[in-house]
Amino acid sequence: MTKSSTNDRGSARPAMHTPPIVSPQEWNAARERLLMKEKAHTRARDALAAERRRMPWMAVEKSYAFDGPGGTASLLDLFEGRRQLIVYRAFFEPGVLGWPDRACRGCSMVADQVAHLAHLNARDTTLVFVSRAPQADIARLKERMGWVMPWYTVTDSFDADFGVGEWHGHNVFIRDGERVFRTGFINNRGDEAMGSTWSYLDITPLGRQETWEDSPEGYPQSPPYKWWNWHDNYAADAAPDPKWVEVSDAGEAAFRNLDPGVKP
């Protein structure tokens, strides 16, 4: 079907070749056909995340220093005591379009989409942004844009060493005590998917840490739904609400029965 329209100035837009108009029955049939492909896409995404959890680890032997709100910080400090760390290199520095009032437009869109960090933190994961701008400028930008993620200043070769000297990207790390290992790297169009709690956890070496996941033996896992919480109620001593336990049991049962015989 071909449709024409006008823009705000009254000029004609090029004709759009839109899909056919069909009955509810035909639409539902088309939706079912598409749903099969969407489910296959979801399974493929889960399999890719499982493969990420089996990526080899690379020991980080070099020391790095960042400027932060509290002074100098090491790469280990960026973990904030948690086990996993995701570091996004955002372009905010002299020479970047918008400086000094704004960061890179693309990196700013990434920052706008970051989910509430409490959910990541509840999975022993810290997300930080890093740039080459001084801390005073970063603080001013965060205040203006309403961003709350930790944001550090790169002071050495960290960006060049981890593939983000000339382009944006997410580096993923895990620590074993005082030792830090690089486990993953996402950049280019891979960054488009970042922002949700799930997309971040799916690039980490421990994943979502839920029992349905295909993870190596011994990895931390707990039932889906059970650990989910309001972002202001993740206190360690918070007692589980009996009603939520009931609801989450029903939710997990439904989750597992959507595709009988197929692991979700």
Side-chain angles (χ1 to χ4, degrees), residues 138-156:
I138 290 174
R140 172 176 48 78
L141 179 69
K142 288 175 63 178
E143 175 69 22
R144 172 180 178 173
M145 302 299 287
W147 297 330
V148 298
M149 72 286 288
W151 199 319
Y152 293 84
T153 302
V154 176
T155 65
D156 49 32

Side-chain angles (χ1 to χ4, degrees), residues 148-168:
V148 298
M149 72 286 288
W151 199 319
Y152 293 84
T153 302
V154 176
T155 65
D156 49 32
S157 63
F158 175 85
D159 48 5
D161 291 349
F162 290 99
V164 288
E166 301 296 332
W167 199 239
H168 54 81

Side-chain angles (χ1 to χ4, degrees), residues 94-210:
V96 172
L97 178 66
W99 174 266
D101 297 320
R102 297 185 181 276
C104 158
R105 287 174 174 170
C107 294
S108 297
M109 285 186 68
V110 171
D112 282 337
Q113 297 175 70
V114 173
H116 202 290
L117 297 176
H119 305 295
L120 272 181
N121 297 164
R123 267 349 210 179
D124 214 7
T125 303
T126 299
L127 171 71
V128 305
F129 277 41
V130 298
S131 296
R132 285 201 168 268
Q135 277 296 294
D137 294 297
I138 290 174
R140 172 176 48 78
L141 179 69
K142 288 175 63 178
E143 175 69 22
R144 172 180 178 173
M145 302 299 287
W147 297 330
V148 298
M149 72 286 288
W151 199 319
Y152 293 84
T153 302
V154 176
T155 65
D156 49 32
S157 63
F158 175 85
D159 48 5
D161 291 349
F162 290 99
V164 288
E166 301 296 332
W167 199 239
H168 54 81
H170 291 80
N171 275 285
V172 188
F173 302 92
I174 194 169
R175 71 181 183 91
D176 182 8
E178 299 291 304
R179 298 199 67 194
V180 176
F181 303 88
R182 188 190 194 194
T183 66
F185 181 52
I186 298 290
N187 69 350
N188 294 327
R189 290 200 63 192
D191 285 338
E192 292 178 1
M194 295 298 103
S196 76
T197 299
W198 309 121
S199 63
Y200 285 128
L201 290 177
D202 282 347
I203 67 171
T204 65
L206 299 182
R208 304 184 187 192
Q209 304 165 53
E210 296 186 339

